[in-house]
Short mmCIF file of all heavy atoms in Angstrom, two decimals:
data_model
loop_
_atom_site.label_atom_id
_atom_site.label_comp_id
_atom_site.label_asym_id
_atom_site.label_seq_id
_atom_site.Cartn_x
_atom_site.Cartn_y
_atom_site.Cartn_z
N HIS A 1 55.98 75.39 71.34
CA HIS A 1 55.29 76.17 70.30
C HIS A 1 56.38 76.40 69.17
O HIS A 1 56.73 77.55 68.91
CB HIS A 1 54.91 77.57 70.90
CG HIS A 1 54.06 77.45 72.13
ND1 HIS A 1 52.78 77.22 72.07
CD2 HIS A 1 54.37 77.55 73.47
CE1 HIS A 1 52.27 77.13 73.30
NE2 HIS A 1 53.27 77.31 74.18
N PRO A 2 56.67 75.27 68.46
CA PRO A 2 57.57 75.43 67.37
C PRO A 2 57.09 76.42 66.30
O PRO A 2 55.92 76.46 66.00
CB PRO A 2 57.63 74.00 66.80
CG PRO A 2 56.51 73.23 67.40
CD PRO A 2 56.02 74.02 68.60
N GLY A 3 58.03 77.16 65.88
CA GLY A 3 57.71 78.17 64.84
C GLY A 3 57.32 79.50 65.36
O GLY A 3 57.26 80.49 64.64
N ASP A 4 56.84 79.62 66.65
CA ASP A 4 56.44 80.92 67.22
C ASP A 4 57.74 81.60 67.80
O ASP A 4 58.28 81.23 68.85
CB ASP A 4 55.44 80.66 68.34
CG ASP A 4 54.87 81.96 68.87
OD1 ASP A 4 55.39 83.09 68.47
OD2 ASP A 4 53.94 81.95 69.64
N LYS A 5 58.19 82.60 67.04
CA LYS A 5 59.37 83.27 67.39
C LYS A 5 59.15 84.60 68.09
O LYS A 5 60.05 85.37 68.33
CB LYS A 5 60.22 83.55 66.09
CG LYS A 5 60.61 82.24 65.39
CD LYS A 5 61.49 81.37 66.27
CE LYS A 5 61.92 80.10 65.52
NZ LYS A 5 62.49 79.13 66.43
N ARG A 6 57.90 84.93 68.44
CA ARG A 6 57.61 86.20 69.10
C ARG A 6 58.39 86.53 70.38
O ARG A 6 58.93 87.58 70.50
CB ARG A 6 56.09 86.39 69.26
CG ARG A 6 55.30 86.43 67.98
CD ARG A 6 53.79 86.47 68.18
NE ARG A 6 53.39 85.20 68.71
CZ ARG A 6 52.09 84.89 68.93
NH1 ARG A 6 51.19 85.78 68.74
NH2 ARG A 6 51.77 83.73 69.32
N PRO A 7 58.53 85.55 71.25
CA PRO A 7 59.34 85.80 72.44
C PRO A 7 60.79 86.07 72.08
O PRO A 7 61.43 86.96 72.64
CB PRO A 7 59.23 84.53 73.29
CG PRO A 7 57.84 83.99 72.90
CD PRO A 7 57.70 84.27 71.42
N ARG A 8 61.35 85.31 71.18
CA ARG A 8 62.75 85.42 70.70
C ARG A 8 62.97 86.83 70.07
O ARG A 8 63.90 87.54 70.31
CB ARG A 8 63.13 84.39 69.75
CG ARG A 8 64.58 84.46 69.29
CD ARG A 8 65.01 83.29 68.45
NE ARG A 8 64.99 82.05 69.14
CZ ARG A 8 65.97 81.61 69.98
NH1 ARG A 8 67.01 82.33 70.07
NH2 ARG A 8 65.87 80.45 70.54
N VAL A 9 61.97 87.27 69.24
CA VAL A 9 62.03 88.52 68.63
C VAL A 9 61.96 89.66 69.60
O VAL A 9 62.75 90.66 69.50
CB VAL A 9 60.87 88.66 67.55
CG1 VAL A 9 60.71 90.12 67.12
CG2 VAL A 9 61.12 87.74 66.43
N ALA A 10 61.21 89.51 70.68
CA ALA A 10 61.12 90.54 71.74
C ALA A 10 62.43 90.63 72.45
O ALA A 10 62.93 91.74 72.75
CB ALA A 10 60.00 90.18 72.71
N ILE A 11 63.05 89.46 72.76
CA ILE A 11 64.36 89.49 73.41
C ILE A 11 65.43 90.19 72.57
O ILE A 11 66.17 91.05 73.05
CB ILE A 11 64.72 88.12 73.80
CG1 ILE A 11 63.78 87.54 74.94
CG2 ILE A 11 66.22 88.05 74.32
CD1 ILE A 11 63.93 86.12 75.21
N LEU A 12 65.43 89.79 71.30
CA LEU A 12 66.41 90.40 70.39
C LEU A 12 66.16 91.90 70.22
O LEU A 12 67.15 92.68 70.20
CB LEU A 12 66.26 89.71 69.00
CG LEU A 12 66.73 88.28 68.92
CD1 LEU A 12 66.34 87.68 67.56
CD2 LEU A 12 68.26 88.19 69.17
N ALA A 13 64.90 92.34 70.21
CA ALA A 13 64.62 93.76 70.15
C ALA A 13 65.18 94.50 71.40
O ALA A 13 65.77 95.61 71.28
CB ALA A 13 63.19 94.07 69.92
N ALA A 14 64.96 93.97 72.47
CA ALA A 14 65.35 94.54 73.77
C ALA A 14 66.93 94.55 73.80
O ALA A 14 67.52 95.61 74.20
CB ALA A 14 64.85 93.76 75.00
N GLU A 15 67.57 93.51 73.33
CA GLU A 15 69.05 93.51 73.28
C GLU A 15 69.62 94.55 72.33
O GLU A 15 70.59 95.20 72.56
CB GLU A 15 69.57 92.07 72.96
CG GLU A 15 69.32 91.11 74.03
CD GLU A 15 69.56 89.62 73.65
OE1 GLU A 15 69.52 89.34 72.47
OE2 GLU A 15 69.79 88.80 74.56
N ARG A 16 68.88 94.74 71.20
CA ARG A 16 69.22 95.76 70.31
C ARG A 16 69.12 97.13 70.88
O ARG A 16 69.98 98.05 70.68
CB ARG A 16 68.45 95.68 68.97
CG ARG A 16 68.95 94.61 68.01
CD ARG A 16 68.37 94.71 66.61
NE ARG A 16 66.96 95.06 66.50
CZ ARG A 16 65.95 94.16 66.60
NH1 ARG A 16 66.20 92.86 66.77
NH2 ARG A 16 64.70 94.57 66.52
N TRP A 17 68.05 97.34 71.67
CA TRP A 17 67.84 98.66 72.34
C TRP A 17 68.99 98.88 73.33
O TRP A 17 69.54 100.03 73.33
CB TRP A 17 66.51 98.62 73.08
CG TRP A 17 66.30 99.91 73.94
CD1 TRP A 17 65.86 101.08 73.40
CD2 TRP A 17 66.54 100.05 75.29
NE1 TRP A 17 65.83 102.00 74.42
CE2 TRP A 17 66.25 101.38 75.59
CE3 TRP A 17 67.01 99.22 76.31
CZ2 TRP A 17 66.35 101.92 76.89
CZ3 TRP A 17 67.07 99.75 77.58
CH2 TRP A 17 66.76 101.11 77.82
N VAL A 18 69.42 97.89 74.01
CA VAL A 18 70.59 98.09 75.00
C VAL A 18 71.80 98.56 74.18
O VAL A 18 72.51 99.41 74.75
CB VAL A 18 70.86 96.74 75.74
CG1 VAL A 18 72.15 96.78 76.40
CG2 VAL A 18 69.76 96.36 76.65
N ARG A 19 71.97 98.04 72.93
CA ARG A 19 73.16 98.50 72.19
C ARG A 19 72.94 99.74 71.37
O ARG A 19 73.78 100.14 70.60
CB ARG A 19 73.48 97.31 71.20
CG ARG A 19 74.05 96.07 71.86
CD ARG A 19 74.56 95.02 70.95
NE ARG A 19 73.77 94.73 69.80
CZ ARG A 19 72.80 93.79 69.81
NH1 ARG A 19 72.61 93.07 70.85
NH2 ARG A 19 72.05 93.63 68.67
N GLY A 20 71.72 100.32 71.54
CA GLY A 20 71.41 101.55 70.79
C GLY A 20 71.03 101.37 69.42
O GLY A 20 71.09 102.24 68.59
N LYS A 21 70.59 100.11 69.06
CA LYS A 21 70.26 99.76 67.68
C LYS A 21 68.76 99.63 67.47
O LYS A 21 68.29 99.22 66.39
CB LYS A 21 70.92 98.48 67.28
CG LYS A 21 72.47 98.46 67.50
CD LYS A 21 73.11 99.22 66.43
CE LYS A 21 74.65 99.09 66.55
NZ LYS A 21 75.32 99.94 65.68
N ALA A 22 67.91 99.94 68.45
CA ALA A 22 66.46 99.77 68.31
C ALA A 22 65.76 100.91 69.03
O ALA A 22 66.35 101.36 70.12
CB ALA A 22 65.96 98.46 68.80
N THR A 23 64.64 101.31 68.68
CA THR A 23 63.86 102.32 69.39
C THR A 23 63.05 101.71 70.38
O THR A 23 62.75 100.48 70.40
CB THR A 23 63.01 103.12 68.44
OG1 THR A 23 61.96 102.28 67.99
CG2 THR A 23 63.79 103.71 67.25
N LEU A 24 62.57 102.46 71.40
CA LEU A 24 61.61 101.90 72.41
C LEU A 24 60.32 101.49 71.76
O LEU A 24 59.69 100.49 72.15
CB LEU A 24 61.38 102.96 73.43
CG LEU A 24 62.46 103.06 74.57
CD1 LEU A 24 62.12 104.14 75.53
CD2 LEU A 24 62.63 101.77 75.27
N ASP A 25 59.90 102.17 70.72
CA ASP A 25 58.67 101.77 69.99
C ASP A 25 58.80 100.32 69.42
O ASP A 25 57.89 99.58 69.43
CB ASP A 25 58.24 102.80 68.84
CG ASP A 25 57.71 104.07 69.50
OD1 ASP A 25 57.25 104.03 70.63
OD2 ASP A 25 57.68 105.07 68.75
N GLU A 26 59.98 100.06 68.84
CA GLU A 26 60.17 98.73 68.29
C GLU A 26 60.21 97.70 69.38
O GLU A 26 59.67 96.60 69.25
CB GLU A 26 61.59 98.68 67.58
CG GLU A 26 61.57 99.51 66.35
CD GLU A 26 63.04 99.67 65.73
OE1 GLU A 26 63.97 99.89 66.48
OE2 GLU A 26 63.12 99.70 64.45
N VAL A 27 60.85 98.05 70.49
CA VAL A 27 60.81 97.18 71.65
C VAL A 27 59.42 96.90 72.17
O VAL A 27 59.02 95.73 72.46
CB VAL A 27 61.80 97.65 72.80
CG1 VAL A 27 61.66 96.78 74.07
CG2 VAL A 27 63.20 97.69 72.30
N ARG A 28 58.66 97.97 72.26
CA ARG A 28 57.27 97.85 72.81
C ARG A 28 56.42 97.00 71.88
O ARG A 28 55.60 96.18 72.34
CB ARG A 28 56.67 99.22 72.98
CG ARG A 28 57.20 99.97 74.19
CD ARG A 28 56.58 101.32 74.37
NE ARG A 28 57.20 102.01 75.41
CZ ARG A 28 57.78 103.17 75.31
NH1 ARG A 28 57.86 103.83 74.18
NH2 ARG A 28 58.34 103.75 76.34
N ALA A 29 56.56 97.11 70.55
CA ALA A 29 55.79 96.32 69.59
C ALA A 29 56.23 94.81 69.74
O ALA A 29 55.31 93.99 69.73
CB ALA A 29 56.00 96.83 68.20
N ALA A 30 57.46 94.59 69.89
CA ALA A 30 57.86 93.17 69.98
C ALA A 30 57.42 92.61 71.30
O ALA A 30 57.00 91.45 71.41
CB ALA A 30 59.40 93.05 69.89
N ALA A 31 57.46 93.44 72.37
CA ALA A 31 57.03 92.93 73.70
C ALA A 31 55.49 92.65 73.68
O ALA A 31 55.12 91.72 74.35
CB ALA A 31 57.37 94.02 74.78
#
């Protein structure tokens, strides 16, 4: 699925949450 970055964006959001740089709402939207 070239060009579909949604899974990558979800992973990045979760990683940001781990570091305290994203909210759970942001992670839930990406997920």
